[in-house]
């Protein structure tokens, strides 16, 4: 999908001043300031959130030319809009006249983007097309909306606020083939729920990257999955059960590229801090008898995408710093994080189904939603409790489990490397 934009200039982004980061002991949690210090939060925004590729939303949310939604990060506001001829544009939501925001609703439809202040009007690709009362020696071509880099892969839209975005090709090559059969481009949003979680965004990721907490906190999730077993505690009966599901998947689906790719208990290794890998995707087995991450494991909506049979395990994707997705044969669940401050994270969870599925006839939200609604809300509560404890004078870093929190250590390493990338002094002791 083309993303051409008329403005050749890129918006300059100010550099923040490097400083000394509190040291961390390898294999231990981060010191308190990483979770509540406004200065470190600013560094997070400048060095990670304004540099990396952010998941914005789904192509199926803007099916018609002129449909748009906003992505608001820190003080930034970006319009993601469907343009002419199947294009998607991302534009800073800031008028080139005196700086008013242009779109004021979180989503909508526009034939032109008209500033509410003095009605400068922009085309869907950001070109300025009308400005009443301006002198003739000025050229409209110099006043297009500032563009934001945007990429779409299999119905998932990503944007990057950096003037020179990091490469996206490897991420597209990783996510694309696994996401394709799910048919996100032919999906519809059955429901989206917004949460304001009172925790630093890293607390939320650290929680996502381990299943040490699952046995007690996620009674629904552990019925369907093998993630919560690790090298130290996988009973032989579980190992055999998993091997049999994996072998069945291999026999049925290898020819179609739908066989499970994550074949061990425990969570897949992500991120890969040593190689700077911020994206990953895999297909994971569900416990025998489960074909969907629903409350009873049964199919709860029509098959999505290219699937012809429900027994395809789950597709899982994640990209740092703000996206993960679990998709079953019949519905997909996307989660997007956007930090709102050192101790606040805006989280949106979407439930997607096949585009022609009709609520009440083909699916029922009370069956599609609870598995991930419960699991998500259980996690948000955990995160808020942890943030509260971290804020006290009694918080001191604690050690990670090498068996169960290998990905949390990986996440922290990735995070520190991103922070230190531009002239920062090493934070790791
Ligand atoms: S600020 Fe937008 S038209 Fe004046
Ligand atoms: Fe969890």
């Amino acid at each position: 999908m083309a993303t051409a934009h008329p403005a050749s200039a890129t918006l300059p982004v100010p550099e923040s001043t490097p400083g000394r980061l509190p040291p961390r002991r390898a294999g231990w949690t981060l010191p308190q300031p990483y979770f509540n210090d406004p200065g470190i939060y600013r560094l997070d925004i400048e060095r990670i959130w304004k540099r990396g590729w952010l998941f914005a939303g789904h192509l199926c949310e803007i099916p018609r030319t002129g449909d748009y939604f906003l992505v608001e990060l820190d003080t930034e506001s970006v319009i993601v809009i469907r343009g002419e001829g199947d294009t998607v544009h991302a534009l800073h939501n800031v008028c080139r006249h005196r700086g008013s925001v242009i779109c004021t609703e979180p989503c909508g439809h526009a034939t032109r983007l008209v500033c509410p202040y003095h009605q400068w009007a922009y085309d869907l690709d950001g070109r300025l097309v009308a400005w009443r009362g301006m002198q003739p020696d000025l050229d409209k071509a110099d006043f297009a909306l500032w563009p934001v880099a945007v990429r779409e892969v299999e119905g998932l839209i990503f944007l990057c606020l950096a003037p020179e975005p990091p490469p996206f090709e490897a991420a597209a090559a990783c996510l694309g083939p696994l996401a394709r059969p799910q048919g996100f481009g032919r999906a519809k949003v059955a429901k989206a729920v917004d949460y304001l979680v009172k925790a630093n965004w890293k607390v939320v990721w650290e929680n996502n990257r381990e299943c040490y907490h699952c046995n007690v906190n996620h009674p629904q999730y552990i019925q369907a999955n093998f993630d919560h077993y690790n090298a130290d505690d996988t009973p032989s009966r579980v190992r055999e059960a998993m091997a049999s599901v994996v072998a069945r998947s291999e026999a049925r689906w290898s020819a179609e590229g739908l066989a499970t790719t994550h074949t061990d208990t425990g969570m897949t290794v992500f991120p890969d801090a040593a190689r700077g890998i911020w994206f990953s995707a895999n297909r994971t087995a569900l416990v025998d008898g489960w074909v969907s991450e629903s409350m009873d494991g049964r199919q709860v909506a029509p098959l999505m995408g290219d699937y012809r049979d429900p027994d395809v395990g789950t597709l899982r994707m994640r990209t740092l710093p703000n996206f993960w997705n679990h998709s079953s044969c019949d519905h997909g669940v996307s989660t997007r994080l956007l930090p709102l401050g050192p101790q606040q994270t805006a989280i949106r969870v979407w439930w997607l189904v096949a585009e022609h599925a009709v609520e009440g006839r083909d699916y029922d939200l009370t069956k599609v939603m609870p598995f991930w609604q419960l699991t998500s809300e259980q996690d948000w509560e955990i995160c808020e409790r942890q943030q509260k404890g971290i804020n006290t004078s009694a918080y001191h870093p604690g050690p990670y489990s090498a068996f169960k929190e290998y990905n949390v250590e990986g996440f922290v390493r990735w995070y520190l490397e991103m922070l230190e990338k531009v002239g920062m002094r090493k934070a790791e002791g």
Side-chain angles (χ1 to χ4, degrees):
M1 183 167 287
T3 54
H5 189 275
S8 55
T10 49
L11 186 60
V13 175
E15 266 300 320
S16 52
T17 313
R20 173 96 186 151
L21 291 167
R24 179 189 83 116
R25 181 172 169 186
W28 289 58
T29 62
L30 288 164
Q32 186 191 58
Y34 287 98
F35 298 112
N36 61 11
D37 178 79
I40 291 183
Y41 175 72
R42 290 311 318 160
L43 281 181
D44 288 3
I45 293 293
E46 297 297 332
R47 296 188 183 279
I48 293 174
W49 289 86
K50 290 194 184 172
R51 288 202 173 148
W53 285 99
L54 309 181
F55 177 66
H58 306 87
L59 190 63
C60 67
E61 295 176 76
I62 46 173
R64 298 169 302 153
T65 296
D67 287 349
Y68 71 86
F69 59 80
L70 300 186
V71 176
E72 312 229 282
L73 167 72
D74 189 51
T75 55
E76 307 297 323
S77 178
V78 178
I79 307 165
V80 176
I81 189 161
R82 187 99 172 205
E84 302 287 350
D86 227 17
T87 55
V88 173
H89 304 283
L91 306 162
H92 280 278
N93 184 22
V94 181
C95 182
R96 292 295 306 278
H97 179 216
R98 280 167 57 194
S100 173
V101 296
I102 296 166
C103 297
T104 53
E105 296 298 322
C107 60
H109 179 83
T111 47
R112 276 185 178 177
L113 297 167
V114 180
C115 178
Y117 201 168
H118 314 96
Q119 292 73 52
W120 283 25
Y122 302 85
D123 233 331
L124 304 182
D125 61 4
R127 239 182 298 245
L128 180 64
V129 290
W131 56 356
R132 180 176 52 90
M134 295 303 292
Q135 49 278 41
D137 58 323
L138 291 173
D139 186 351
K140 285 198 204 76
D142 294 334
F143 297 95
L145 294 179
W146 294 109
V148 173
V150 64
R151 298 284 186 281
E152 182 259 332
V153 52
E154 297 298 333
L156 307 172
I157 301 172
F158 294 84
L159 61 81
C160 180
L161 289 157
E164 290 177 23
F168 189 77
E169 291 71 21
C174 166
L175 303 179
L178 275 144
R180 194 164 302 135
Q182 192 72 36
F184 291 112
R186 292 169 276 147
K188 73 167 194 180
V189 175
K191 183 77 178 174
V193 179
D194 285 309
Y195 298 96
L196 183 57
V197 177
K198 292 194 261 347
N200 184 275
W201 67 275
K202 297 185 290 294
V203 166
V204 181
W205 261 113
E206 290 176 1
N207 168 266
N208 171 270
R209 291 290 75 216
E210 49 92 357
C211 217
Y212 193 10
H213 66 275
C214 294
N215 285 352
V216 168
N217 290 283
H218 295 316
Q220 296 80 24
Y221 185 85
I222 60 170
Q223 287 186 57
N225 285 289
F226 293 101
D227 305 29
H228 54 296
Y229 296 108
N230 289 105
D232 62 314
D233 66 356
T234 306
S236 54
R237 68 173 166 81
V238 171
R239 210 170 282 290
E240 284 155 22
M242 173 134 196
S244 126
V245 175
V246 168
R248 187 180 73 212
S249 167
E250 183 66 27
R252 291 187 76 170
W253 298 119
S254 59
E256 296 181 49
L258 292 174
T260 54
T261 59
H262 176 56
T263 55
D264 291 323
T265 58
M267 293 171 71
T268 190
V269 175
F270 177 79
D272 182 341
R275 294 195 294 142
I277 301 284
W278 53 272
F279 50 84
S280 100
N282 55 275
R283 189 164 286 284
T284 300
L286 290 173
V287 166
D288 193 25
W290 290 65
V291 295
S292 178
E293 287 190 322
S294 63
M295 294 300 275
D296 60 5
R298 283 188 231 165
Q299 190 177 337
V300 288
L303 294 176
M304 287 183 75
D306 300 336
Y307 301 136
R308 292 177 292 104
D309 182 305
D311 186 24
V312 290
T314 56
L315 163 70
R316 300 186 185 188
M317 300 179 284
R318 65 292 288 176
T319 65
L320 286 165
N322 81 330
F323 172 64
W324 63 80
N325 175 288
H326 272 228
S327 292
S328 300
C329 64
D330 54 351
H331 72 291
V333 183
S334 292
T335 303
R336 181 192 72 183
L337 314 186
L338 290 170
L340 279 181
Q343 299 185 42
Q344 280 201 331
T345 307
I347 305 183
R348 176 170 293 176
V349 182
W350 289 264
W351 284 260
L352 296 116
V353 295
E355 69 181 335
H356 299 300
V358 176
E359 188 181 351
R361 185 189 75 188
D362 301 319
Y363 68 93
D364 181 347
L365 286 177
T366 63
K367 290 206 163 67
V368 172
M369 288 181 67
F371 185 96
W372 270 108
Q373 186 169 16
L374 284 165
T375 303
S376 301
E377 291 172 9
Q378 288 154 357
D379 279 332
W380 312 156
E381 191 178 347
I382 289 168
C383 291
E384 292 188 345
R385 287 200 296 257
Q386 186 191 359
Q387 181 73 50
K388 197 166 177 212
I390 286 172
N391 288 343
T392 69
S393 61
Y395 172 73
H396 290 281
Y400 294 133
S401 160
F403 290 115
K404 302 183 179 301
E405 292 169 299
Y406 47 91
N407 279 333
V408 187
E409 172 68 9
F411 169 78
V412 171
R413 281 181 180 273
W414 168 86
Y415 163 72
L416 291 174
E417 276 175 24
M418 296 305 290
L419 269 201
E420 289 162 351
K421 252 188 172 167
V422 187
M424 300 294 295
R425 286 197 243 156
K426 278 275 174 203
E428 198 139 277

